[in-house]
Amino acid sequence: GDRAFFVSREMEGTSRPKCMSFWYYMYEPIVDTTGPNLGKLAVWTRTIDRNDLLVMTPVWRLHNGHGPSWRFGQAQVTTDTSFQVIIEGIWGNNRASGHIAVDDVTFYDGVCQTVPQPAVVVKGECSFDRDACGWRNTSTAESFDWRMATLTKRPANLPDKTYGAPMGYAYFDIFNTGSRSNRVKMISPTIPASKQGKMCFSFWFAAFGAGDSTSLRIYKQRVSAKEFDDEEDDAKETPSLWYLSASELDTARPEWSAGQVAVDMSKDFRLVLEGKASNGGFAIDQLTFNQGDCSSRPESAVPKTPKRS
């Protein structure tokens, strides 16, 4: 999870479209049994808002190896205010071997598409290695909520899925509530509609504690013209996109497992991750969107609406 930053000089903002092009080299010659671990290359714009707060906006990102050759990349970097561009390299876990490099960085006026297409940043994607990427906890209970793992507080000493670090994921844990099961919700930023129709929402999850009382549910929440109300879905049942009970998992030795579900992108929406437990919890990491339809994974995570308690 070590990081390196390459920061541009400050550039004037403009309403005219501006594009950044560059060449990148991401090569991982040896991949072990745990899968690709080279790391991540990302491009951000850094601006200051009206409240003098620093704003980091992701505009391009790729993970792991892409072959032993230089490849062309480009991204739109248009901002109305003065800005800097930051190229960030994040090294993978301690088993990774390979190289991440950039060259021939150029800025020019005009509209451009993100190249390569997998580097497109979709709002709502998050690896939790910097922050929660606009996802927010909406739970009202004082002691139960979704939170970021830290060095001193993380469940079952679970390492980060992305880089194997001791932190860099989100989780909830609810213990000692007797038979009463509590719900916690984490909601995404508004995800804009896409011409792609359907996209595959993929993520990694791990469960711990008493599996028979612990579950994770994913559902969509529509975006209305009115001010968003976190509780608007509580008055009636909302169909689940994905639902999994931890009773099907080995919660005594929590391990990361892959999950995915198809999401209709025809209208703006928000995703809700709803955790439920009386003596356990779930952790999540590497939330991503990919083009196209996909089947639910694992197969047992069939869409259904759990009973309210």
Side-chain angles (χ1 to χ4, degrees):
D2 291 341
R3 303 165 185 268
F5 301 93
F6 195 35
V7 183
S8 75
R9 63 174 177 81
E10 187 170 295
M11 293 177 277
E12 292 185 1
T14 176
S15 58
R16 298 192 306 271
K18 184 178 289 291
C19 188
M20 169 186 172
S21 67
F22 56 96
W23 290 80
Y24 64 92
Y25 184 87
M26 301 176 71
Y27 181 45
E28 186 176 10
I30 301 175
V31 178
D32 65 20
T33 56
T34 63
N37 291 300
L38 181 63
K40 176 182 177 181
L41 182 64
V43 179
W44 304 74
T45 58
R46 182 167 68 179
T47 57
I48 304 295
D49 67 12
R50 295 178 180 177
N51 298 317
D52 290 330
L53 297 176
L54 184 68
V55 178
M56 296 278 288
T57 304
V59 295
W60 189 98
R61 91 289 180 266
L62 275 183
H63 293 84
N64 300 317
H66 290 268
S69 60
W70 286 95
R71 296 176 180 269
F72 179 73
Q74 69 179 18
Q76 200 80 49
V77 292
T78 305
T79 68
D80 293 329
T81 59
S82 59
F83 69 100
Q84 292 174 291
V85 170
I86 298 177
I87 299 175
E88 178 187 35
I90 305 178
W91 195 244
N93 63 33
N94 55 15
R95 297 186 300 274
S97 64
H99 307 278
I100 299 176
V102 293
D103 199 6
D104 290 348
V105 179
T106 305
F107 296 92
Y108 59 90
D109 291 337
V111 176
C112 66
Q113 293 183 332
T114 300
V115 176
Q117 197 284 327
V120 171
V121 176
V122 177
K123 201 168 185 180
E125 291 189 331
C126 198
S127 59
F128 301 100
D129 56 348
R130 180 185 299 278
D131 54 30
C133 315
W135 287 77
R136 59 193 178 94
N137 173 70
T138 64
S139 309
T140 56
E142 293 183 2
S143 56
F144 308 133
D145 55 16
W146 283 94
R147 60 180 72 108
M148 299 278 287
T150 67
L151 287 171
T152 57
K153 190 169 179 57
R154 57 193 176 112
N157 289 322
L158 184 69
D160 164 49
K161 169 58 186 173
T162 311
Y163 306 115
M167 56 185 184
Y169 58 92
Y171 75 98
F172 75 88
D173 55 357
I174 300 173
F175 289 99
N176 301 320
T177 62
S179 60
R180 182 171 59 91
S181 185
N182 288 272
R183 288 187 296 139
V184 291
K185 295 190 295 182
M186 186 165 65
I187 194 164
S188 75
T190 299
I191 300 171
S194 170
K195 294 180 180 179
Q196 303 299 331
K198 280 194 173 183
M199 295 190 78
C200 187
F201 175 58
S202 63
F203 54 95
W204 290 80
F205 66 90
F208 47 91
D212 56 349
S213 69
T214 306
S215 64
L216 179 63
R217 175 190 178 214
I218 301 173
Y219 63 93
K220 285 176 64 176
Q221 195 166 56
R222 61 186 178 82
V223 178
S224 65
K226 298 180 180 180
E227 182 70 17
F228 182 67
D229 180 2
D230 291 329
E231 303 301 327
E232 79 170 69
D233 58 284
D234 285 345
K236 58 183 179 180
E237 296 289 346
T238 305
S240 299
L241 296 175
W242 188 96
Y243 174 81
L244 186 68
S245 170
S247 61
E248 305 171 24
L249 308 171
D250 180 5
T251 57
R253 301 179 60 184
E255 295 182 350
W256 290 105
S257 300
Q260 67 181 29
V261 64
V263 180
D264 182 1
M265 307 281 286
S266 59
K267 295 181 179 179
D268 294 356
F269 68 96
R270 292 180 175 94
L271 283 181
V272 180
L273 302 182
E274 181 185 83
K276 189 176 179 181
S278 61
N279 205 22
F282 266 89
I284 57 166
D285 200 4
Q286 292 188 14
L287 314 183
T288 61
F289 290 89
N290 298 288
Q291 285 189 13
D293 199 355
C294 63
S295 56
S296 292
R297 183 179 180 189
E299 292 182 358
S300 57
V302 292
K304 66 180 180 179
T305 301
K307 295 180 180 179
R308 299 293 191 184
S309 60

